[in-house]
Amino acid sequence: MSIRTTHRALLSRLLPDDKPDDLPVRQGQFHTVVIGSDRVVCLPRTRAAAARLPQRAAALHALAGLDLGFRTPEPLLQGGTHGTDETPFLVLSRIPGEPLEAGTLNDAQVVDTVAAQYATLLSALARAGTDETVRAVLPRTPEDHWRRFAENVRVELFPLMSDSGRLQAERELTALDSLPHLTRAVVHGDLGAENVLWEWTHGLPHLSGVLDWDDVTLGDPAEDLAAIGASYGPELLERVLTLGDWSHHGLLTRIAAIRGTFALQQALTALRDGDKEELGDGLADYR
């Protein structure tokens, strides 16, 4: 049974100008998102995701007050998170645009345009990391973040892996040992292609907004650069690094180390949230 059917009454109330049967639905790692004409409804997929809704709303409020040069979803209404029987939800403003389609970056002019806007985006997040209002709301990446992550993977995920999978994971975790502790920039935390929206003008894409700030933190920009590289490949990443004047060896090493943990990060979060589908996907290369 579809979520449009199981939550028809709630969706009709939250999206009164739309017909539930016609609403697009997208499923992310943490939320099912129902897209209305001018707003979206986020429905947590797990209890853990529901418990994080207030923190997510607070972070989005802080980001909405900044001039980042692109739009972020603005919290409009929240419910069901204070011990009531109501289904937990978060209503956000809808940002126009769509993710870039596969094949778009075959055009050199488009690549240059996209790379320049990603560089601008990351510069804006770096500036936002110095805003005291933002720093008061957003969590900081703990100093022992990667050490604890590696320990948790070994304890919780290694029993689910094959022998060869554990060897592969151990190599990836060992690469984290040299990462410095940085908290100077706002880090989106999941800056993959599906979370960045674009509108087209005169044959070129314009970055209209960024979605899904569940993992936002004050941390190392290498995390977002690693996501860009994973989504679009090394050529675009190199152009972004050059435009942002970030092309130095230390950063490249950090990007590679962090990118190597993406599947493990997904699997660990999914295991703790009880999401078997995402867990299986994250561990696919380790079994």
Side-chain angles (χ1 to χ4, degrees):
M1 187 176 296
S2 75
I3 200 163
R4 289 183 292 254
T5 300
T6 57
H7 293 79
R8 179 177 296 275
L10 178 64
L11 294 174
S12 296
R13 175 166 63 88
L14 299 177
L15 303 171
D17 297 329
D18 300 293
K19 296 180 180 179
D21 291 337
D22 298 334
L23 296 172
V25 177
R26 294 179 183 172
Q27 182 166 295
Q29 182 175 357
F30 302 114
H31 304 93
T32 299
V33 180
V34 183
I35 304 172
S37 55
D38 63 350
R39 58 183 62 187
V40 301
V41 178
C42 300
L43 300 170
R45 296 181 59 193
T46 64
R47 290 183 179 179
R52 293 191 293 265
L53 282 182
Q55 179 182 347
R56 185 186 191 205
L60 289 173
H61 274 301
L63 293 170
L66 300 173
D67 182 14
L68 294 173
F70 57 88
R71 301 181 192 178
T72 58
E74 183 177 352
L76 303 175
L77 184 65
Q78 183 179 338
T81 59
H82 299 290
T84 68
D85 293 332
E86 184 179 31
T87 299
F89 67 83
L90 181 62
V91 180
L92 304 172
S93 60
R94 179 178 177 178
I95 298 175
E98 296 291 336
L100 292 177
E101 296 182 3
T104 299
L105 298 181
N106 291 332
D107 182 285
Q109 188 175 8
V110 172
V111 171
D112 288 340
T113 300
V114 170
Q117 292 181 76
Y118 264 116
T120 300
L121 182 161
L122 291 166
S123 294
L125 293 181
R127 288 194 305 274
T130 66
D131 186 289
E132 291 305 320
T133 301
V134 173
R135 295 187 68 83
V137 173
L138 299 187
R140 289 168 173 77
T141 301
E143 187 169 359
D144 61 348
H145 168 69
W146 291 116
R147 180 184 61 78
R148 288 192 293 109
F149 170 75
E151 290 176 353
N152 291 334
V153 168
R154 293 182 180 107
V155 171
E156 299 179 48
L157 294 182
F158 271 27
L160 306 177
M161 299 179 183
S162 65
D163 290 342
S164 61
R166 284 190 286 273
L167 288 173
Q168 175 184 332
E170 190 60 55
R171 289 192 296 270
E172 293 162 349
L173 296 175
T174 299
L176 300 175
D177 292 342
S178 62
L179 291 179
H181 180 234
L182 302 174
T183 60
R184 63 174 179 257
V186 172
V187 174
H188 179 277
D190 190 13
L191 203 60
E194 69 280 0
N195 288 328
V196 183
L197 302 184
W198 305 79
E199 294 182 299
W200 288 78
T201 304
H202 305 301
L204 291 173
H206 175 72
L207 195 157
S208 59
V210 180
L211 308 176
D212 195 359
W213 294 82
D214 284 351
D215 295 324
V216 65
T217 186
L218 296 167
D220 185 351
E223 294 191 44
D224 286 341
L225 286 161
I228 293 171
S231 291
Y232 299 107
E235 180 182 350
L236 181 72
L237 175 61
E238 183 178 351
R239 296 195 187 196
V240 172
L241 291 170
T242 300
L243 289 168
D245 193 24
W246 297 312
S247 296
H248 55 83
H249 178 70
L251 178 58
L252 295 175
T253 300
R254 293 182 351 244
I255 291 172
I258 293 169
R259 180 174 175 179
T261 68
F262 280 171
L264 295 174
Q265 290 185 49
Q266 173 184 329
L268 186 61
T269 300
L271 178 65
R272 292 174 171 181
D273 281 3
D275 191 328
K276 294 182 179 179
E277 182 178 347
E278 289 290 329
L279 174 62
D281 182 64
L283 289 180
D285 291 336
Y286 300 91
R287 287 177 162 169

